[in-house]
């Protein structure tokens, strides 16, 4: 039985996916930031031991340190996260000791949006800001520790989103770094 882990950095997106899967009658479990430890443990146990439970919805901000999900066959990121390190940490939850099979990792994004610009920024900046797709595919990824994000300017600085990077992401700079003309 194939199982999938679906991550989103937006709690509301996790709740929406929960609603849609519930309406469709798809057995799943959910962990969001703020869930009690006991609820998190029950969700992991259900997903791990019950073959009919195929989908695990996870809020990327959930305090699930050390979570190992080696029953996964696929990992879906519903949007690019702020930093590649956060994405890598999410994917590595399914690439741990005990993994018996290949895991497909997919990141969704909307064309002609900030998400696409964020991915373009990563490509422009090269490997210094992210790990290559080949390294991910070959399982060469090491766990990346990402400090907890707080609100405000300090979280932007911690995420590596400088003012120049933000201008690029929001379409205020062209790929070559010049100011975009309207």
């Amino acid at each position: 039985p194939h199982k999938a882990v679906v991550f989103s950095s937006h709690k509301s997106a996790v709740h929406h996916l929960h609603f849609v899967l519930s309406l469709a009658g798809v057995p799943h479990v959910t962990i969001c930031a703020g869930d009690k430890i006991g609820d998190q443990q029950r969700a992991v146990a259900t997903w791990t031991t019950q073959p009919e439970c195929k989908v695990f919805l996870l809020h990327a901000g959930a305090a699930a340190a050390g979570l190992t999900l080696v029953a996964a066959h696929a990992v879906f990121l519903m949007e690019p996260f702020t930093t590649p390190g956060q994405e890598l940490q999410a994917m590595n939850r399914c690439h741990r000791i005990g993994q018996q099979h290949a895991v497909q990792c997919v990141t969704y994004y909307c064309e002609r949006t900030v998400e696409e610009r964020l991915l373009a920024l990563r490509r422009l900046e090269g490997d210094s800001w992210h790990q290559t797709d080949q390294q991910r595919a070959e399982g060469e990824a090491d766990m990346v520790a990402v400090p907890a994000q707080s609100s405000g300017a300090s979280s932007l600085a911690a995420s590596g989103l400088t003012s120049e990077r933000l201008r690029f992401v929001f379409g205020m700079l062209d790929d070559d770094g010049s100011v975009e003309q309207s």
Side-chain angles (χ1 to χ4, degrees), residues 8-176:
S8 178
S9 56
H10 305 288
K11 195 173 184 179
S12 59
V14 173
H15 289 303
H16 180 75
L17 290 167
H18 168 74
F19 177 74
V20 170
L21 291 175
S22 295
L23 280 178
V26 176
H28 64 281
V29 293
T30 304
I31 292 179
C32 282
D35 288 354
K36 295 177 182 167
I37 298 292
D39 294 339
Q40 291 180 13
Q41 291 170 340
R42 277 188 292 286
V44 171
T46 298
W47 186 75
T48 303
T49 62
Q50 296 183 11
E52 68 276 2
C53 186
K54 307 251 190 245
V55 180
F56 200 135
L57 302 175
L58 272 170
H59 176 224
L67 185 61
T68 300
L69 303 170
V70 295
H73 289 78
V75 175
F76 299 99
L77 304 179
M78 297 310 296
E79 69 280 330
F81 294 174
T82 305
T83 68
Q86 291 169 323
E87 292 176 5
L88 187 58
Q89 186 176 24
M91 288 184 263
N92 276 343
R93 292 181 188 273
C94 302
H95 285 282
R96 303 239 177 144
I97 295 171
Q99 183 57 270
Q100 302 286 322
H101 46 268
V103 178
Q104 177 185 13
C105 299
V106 178
T107 301
Y108 293 100
Y109 70 95
C110 295
E111 292 180 320
R112 294 181 298 283
T113 66
V114 169
E115 293 174 344
E116 184 177 51
R117 299 288 293 184
L118 180 62
L119 294 173
L121 175 66
R122 291 180 189 175
R123 282 191 304 276
L124 285 173
E125 291 190 341
D127 292 336
S128 64
W129 215 49
H130 66 86
Q131 185 175 36
T132 67
D133 292 335
Q134 180 180 0
Q135 286 170 316
R136 283 186 189 148
E138 293 173 356
E140 295 177 6
D142 290 330
M143 179 56 77
V144 175
V146 178
Q149 298 290 315
S150 61
S151 60
S154 62
S155 66
L156 284 176
S159 72
L161 287 175
T162 63
S163 61
E164 184 174 307
R165 287 178 173 152
L166 285 171
R167 285 196 303 274
F168 176 83
V169 167
F170 289 111
M172 299 166 68
L173 293 177
D174 284 330
D175 292 353
D176 63 2

